[in-house]
Amino acid sequence: MYILLFAAVAMALGLATYNFYSVKKLDSGTDLMKEIAEAIQIGASAFINHEYKVIAKIAVVIAVVLGVVVQWYVGVAFLLGATMSGTAGFIGMKIATISNVRVSNRARETKSLGKTLKVAFQGGSVMGLSVGGFALLGLGIVYVVFGELLGQLSPEQLVIVDNWLGINFIPFTMTISGYALGCSIIAMFDRVGGGIYTKAADMGADLVGKTEAHIPEDDPRNPATIADNVGDNVGDVAGLGADLLESFVGSVISAGVLAAYFFYTQSGVDGMSFPADVARTLIMFPIMFAAVGLISCVIGILSLLVRNISEEPHKELNYATWISAGLTVIGTGALTYLVFQGADMTPLGFRLGAMSPWFSAIAGIAAGIIIGFLAEYYTSYDYKPTKDIAQASLEGTALTITEGLSVGMKSAFLPVLVLALATLAANAFAGLYGVAMAAIGMLSFVAATVSVDTYGPIADNAGGISEMSKLEPQVREITDKLDSVGNTTAAIGKGFAIGSASLAALSLLASFLYSQANPGDVNGFNLVLNMIDTHTLAGALVGAALPFYFSGLLIEAVAKAAGKMVAEVRRQFKEYPGILDGSQKPDYKTCIEISSEGALKEMKYPAMISVLIPIVAGFIFGANFVGGLLIGTTLSAIMLALFTANSGGAWDNAKKLVESGGVKGHGKGSEVHSSTVVGDTVGDPLKDTVGPSLDILIKIMSVISLILVSVFGKYNLFSFFNF
């Protein structure tokens, strides 16, 4: 098994390394292009280095607390998860700032959409392969070092133990939960910090530059344009990579944790009635499944890079994704049969024999694909919803906003229905373990989906560099076409992340309930969370409200930073009128500093809320309240995440539809265009800050609650005073 796992890691990281240096060797164009690209690289590196210093201090504190309160190995696993997630995000940001100018230059030299697409995708693939490779590398280290060498996967240690505080837990589940939490913390800070940075700059650039000064997007006369391009890398690349790595790890560990608790609660104290070898197989199977998916992604990515590709970017990107998904389905089917053939899995609820977990995973894959199609329908300007927003803009900005809100709200229903059906199907095939496998299935080809997602910001940056370098209009047309497809692929990727978060959260909630089993009566333990219980109901009410408060904080943070950016851009235009006629050069550095300071200042409070709320609630109200809190937060956050991702994507592409001439007689610079720019600006913090952060919120709260339930289940104020 470990040979398969580390072979997959080696293939992924090996190809990522090759693609990194292959892109780096390409020509970066004219002196002006190199100068602009260097400014973006310096700004992005400065921000992420500063951000990681802040995160490192917080991570060390959390690791020490986990080590003292739970066990030392939980703190170590937490730091390992944070390191893997941070490394993947840093590498992705680095390649994005290297790729962008080379994509512009390839478009300049070849005037070929297909050849330009290949460079952008090769750059994006470094992020995708790093996400899958580093996630599984860290998990492999945890399994080998803690599971094998320290014996946590042995039957003797797959039992609940007590630590020095009298807190009980299963050692291995606590270790992998610590690893997942480390990934989640980095993802939250990257998404929140990067999201605030990029949207503050983007909104400042659009509101003053495009709607007031009526200059083109990414015009070098706009002081905020370099900060905007920096933001694409720190938010939409580093943040995206950390986000989906965290989703991937959360899905994988949810199945392993559930299997360990199932073994303990079903086998009793003597550990004999449920075979230990079956339990071990169930714990190991998720990472084997993920390894096969990663190998499939390597092949799928290579299938696009080793051949001449067409001038249809959407078709080519779908081709790479479908190859990865198809090989994953076939490969994991063979793996499942080999692993489970002949085993009696009836006690686990496997209703279709050895292939039951595979059918559950297929349900997750199918749900992810359908959700992706739905995201494309609601956000692409090829379809009616986004076209309706563009048409509504003929009547003014108010109707642009109103129509976009309508599209976003309606877009939440069908994906949730798909998730509900997938959950029911996965459970019917293989019980709660099947639900966890559905989450893994949905992200089993994550390396391919992240590669496609990351290509979008790279293409967007390439367009900015083309504009600022004053390259011929045909170059910008090529990058704009790539960017438009990137907006749709980003919405699809967010749909996968949101869907997997809901399925993983359900599995983690089941593990949360299992973890409250008493060692003396585990055979009689049932998974029950009574919604009529006042503690549970109160927790659900608070949990349902939490995502709204969390989202409000993020939007407020973006608004504060964007307000400062708007004021700065207006100041420069007023005090230095020569900027607009080209006789004076704008001050890019001040705008970069405003975005950096705003992001670093505002990211801490929303990020820490996700960690502190379940802890504080648990120590005051107890485990039932936290169980309700998780249910309420999960349900509310899923709806909000879908709404914000799709409405923001639709507003963005409605603007691009007008810019491309899709509304006759109303192109760039028209009143209709200004209306869609305002709509896009409203949607910016929704789709790129709020939406992506909500699915991380769900999983951080779930993992934190799982780790500490045995603490606040025993020590809380309400039980102390017998309330």
Side-chain angles (χ1 to χ4, degrees):
M1 187 281 295
Y2 292 115
I3 294 175
L4 174 66
L5 174 64
F6 288 112
V9 169
M11 290 172 65
L13 296 183
L15 182 58
T17 303
Y18 173 81
N19 286 344
F20 185 100
Y21 287 104
S22 294
V23 171
K24 192 174 182 180
K25 287 178 184 177
L26 297 175
D27 185 12
S28 52
T30 66
D31 289 341
L32 181 56
M33 292 171 70
K34 292 175 183 176
E35 180 185 340
I36 293 167
E38 185 180 9
I40 294 171
Q41 289 172 10
I42 291 171
S45 295
F47 174 75
I48 203 164
N49 287 338
H50 194 165
E51 182 187 46
Y52 277 11
K53 287 178 183 177
V54 173
I55 298 172
K57 294 175 184 176
I58 296 171
V60 169
V61 172
I62 295 174
V64 170
V65 171
L66 290 173
V68 172
V69 174
V70 188
Q71 274 292 359
W72 67 269
Y73 45 76
V74 182
V76 172
F78 171 85
L79 290 177
L80 178 63
T83 301
M84 292 297 162
S85 181
T87 303
F90 183 84
I91 290 172
M93 184 278 297
K94 198 76 175 174
I95 188 60
T97 58
I98 290 171
S99 302
N100 51 17
V101 67
R102 288 158 175 81
V103 171
S104 294
N105 191 56
R106 180 56 61 94
R108 180 180 74 93
E109 290 178 340
T110 66
K111 306 298 189 296
S112 167
L113 189 65
K115 291 178 180 178
T116 307
L117 166 65
K118 183 176 283 191
V119 176
F121 180 75
Q122 189 168 22
S125 71
V126 175
M127 179 81 264
L129 292 164
S130 295
V131 165
F134 282 108
L136 286 187
L137 174 61
L139 279 170
I141 293 171
V142 170
Y143 271 68
V144 170
V145 174
F146 299 102
E148 303 295 349
L149 298 181
L150 296 182
Q152 290 184 356
L153 281 172
S154 65
E156 295 77 21
Q157 290 198 44
L158 285 177
V159 295
I160 288 182
V161 299
D162 292 337
N163 71 357
W164 67 279
L165 283 173
I167 301 164
N168 51 70
F169 52 84
I170 297 176
F172 187 69
T173 66
M174 197 59 73
T175 304
I176 57 175
S177 295
Y179 177 79
L181 182 61
C183 296
S184 297
I185 291 293
I186 295 294
M188 178 59 80
F189 278 102
D190 271 4
R191 265 305 194 186
V192 171
I196 293 170
Y197 187 114
T198 185
K199 291 306 112 180
D202 196 2
M203 291 171 71
D206 284 355
L207 286 174
V208 183
K210 293 171 74 172
T211 62
E212 294 180 12
H214 298 289
I215 58 178
E217 186 171 6
D218 297 314
D219 193 294
R221 293 172 291 176
N222 193 326
T225 192
I226 293 288
D228 185 12
N229 282 274
V230 170
D232 289 337
N233 294 289
V234 298
D236 297 339
V237 178
L240 164 79
D243 178 5
L244 285 173
L245 184 147
E246 179 265 351
S247 295
F248 184 47
V249 169
S251 300
V252 172
I253 73 109
S254 68
V257 170
L258 190 63
Y261 273 111
F262 192 85
F263 167 69
Y264 176 70
T265 56
Q266 292 295 313
S267 60
V269 177
D270 62 4
M272 295 301 293
S273 61
F274 191 83
D277 60 331
V278 173
R280 180 183 171 86
T281 299
L282 291 171
I283 295 170
M284 304 289 277
F285 180 67
I287 60 170
M288 297 166 67
F289 194 101
V292 171
L294 184 56
I295 293 171
S296 300
C297 288
V298 170
I299 298 171
I301 289 167
L302 281 172
S303 71
L304 191 149
L305 296 178
V306 298
R307 62 185 177 84
N308 293 323
I309 57 179
S310 71
E311 301 285 299
E312 300 179 57
H314 201 280
K315 174 184 173 183
E316 295 294 346
L317 294 171
N318 280 344
Y319 178 84
T321 305
W322 280 109
I323 290 289
S324 302
L327 290 175
T328 298
V329 169
I330 295 169
T332 54
L335 173 73
T336 307
Y337 180 77
L338 290 173
V339 169
F340 289 110
Q341 63 172 330
D344 180 15
M345 308 303 292
T346 307
L348 261 179
F350 282 25
R351 294 180 176 86
L352 298 176
M355 300 303 290
S356 297
W358 181 76
F359 281 112
S360 295
I362 296 303
I365 292 173
I369 291 170
I370 295 170
I371 290 171
F373 279 132
L374 290 170
E376 181 177 0
Y377 172 73
Y378 283 111
T379 60
S380 172
Y381 64 47
D382 292 328
Y383 298 103
K384 187 175 183 295
T386 298
K387 288 180 179 179
D388 286 347
I389 296 174
Q391 289 298 319
S393 301
L394 292 168
E395 309 304 325
T397 305
L399 288 182
T400 305
I401 304 300
T402 304
E403 187 67 29
L405 289 173
S406 171
V407 168
M409 289 179 178
K410 290 188 293 185
S411 74
F413 178 74
L414 288 178
V416 169
L417 180 61
V418 170
L419 279 173
L421 294 174
T423 302
L424 292 171
N427 183 72
F429 296 147
L432 282 171
Y433 187 80
V435 175
M437 287 305 305
I440 296 171
M442 195 174 283
L443 289 178
S444 55
F445 47 100
V446 69
T449 56
V450 173
S451 298
V452 172
D453 278 2
T454 307
Y455 126 94
I458 291 173
D460 188 11
N461 249 211
I465 292 172
S466 301
E467 187 76 35
M468 287 183 281
S469 303
K470 301 177 182 179
L471 302 181
E472 53 265 55
Q474 188 180 353
V475 175
R476 186 61 196 257
E477 289 173 11
I478 290 172
T479 58
D480 277 352
K481 287 178 182 176
L482 296 177
D483 182 29
S484 177
V485 174
N487 281 330
T488 301
T489 59
I492 293 171
K494 288 166 188 169
F496 272 85
I498 294 163
S500 66
S502 68
L503 295 171
L506 178 59
S507 303
L508 290 169
L509 180 61
S511 299
F512 172 88
L513 296 175
Y514 271 132
S515 66
Q516 298 178 64
N518 295 317
D521 60 359
V522 290
N523 288 319
F525 184 74
N526 293 311
L527 287 178
V528 175
L529 191 62
N530 186 359
M531 287 303 296
I532 300 177
D533 176 74
T534 53
H535 285 71
T536 306
L537 183 58
L541 289 171
V542 174
L546 181 61
F548 287 88
Y549 179 66
F550 179 79
S551 300
L553 288 174
L554 294 180
I555 294 171
E556 182 182 40
V558 172
K560 284 180 181 177
K564 292 178 182 177
M565 185 69 72
V566 167
E568 173 60 22
V569 176
R570 284 176 179 162
R571 182 193 70 80
Q572 291 194 34
F573 283 161
K574 182 179 179 180
E575 295 182 8
Y576 307 101
I579 290 175
L580 289 175
D581 63 24
S583 61
Q584 290 179 290
K585 193 173 181 180
D587 177 10
Y588 299 123
K589 184 179 178 182
T590 300
C591 291
I592 292 174
E593 289 173 351
I594 288 172
S595 273
S596 296
E597 290 170 5
L600 292 168
K601 179 182 177 182
E602 301 291 344
M603 73 178 184
K604 298 174 187 176
Y605 184 46
M608 293 310 295
I609 277 179
S610 61
V611 176
L612 295 176
I613 288 291
I615 297 174
V616 173
F619 281 115
I620 295 175
F621 301 107
N624 281 354
F625 184 92
V626 174
L629 186 78
L630 295 179
I631 291 175
T633 300
T634 300
L635 296 178
S636 178
I638 290 168
M639 312 304 166
L640 263 180
L642 289 167
F643 160 65
T644 53
N646 291 336
S647 59
W651 272 316
D652 192 352
N653 277 333
K655 177 198 70 176
K656 285 184 167 55
L657 179 61
V658 172
E659 291 174 344
S660 66
V663 179
K664 290 184 179 179
H666 302 279
K668 289 184 178 180
S670 66
E671 288 298 319
V672 171
H673 181 233
S674 293
S675 294
T676 58
V677 169
V678 173
D680 176 35
T681 305
V682 172
D684 273 340
L686 298 183
K687 70 181 173 68
D688 292 325
T689 308
V690 174
S693 299
L694 284 169
D695 62 276
I696 305 173
L697 173 72
I698 297 170
K699 280 169 291 194
I700 285 186
M701 290 183 62
S702 297
V703 174
I704 280 282
S705 301
L706 177 61
I707 290 174
L708 295 179
V709 62
S710 55
V711 184
F712 55 67
K714 195 168 188 177
Y715 306 107
N716 63 79
L717 287 179
F718 265 52
S719 63
F720 180 78
F721 291 109
N722 294 317
F723 287 149

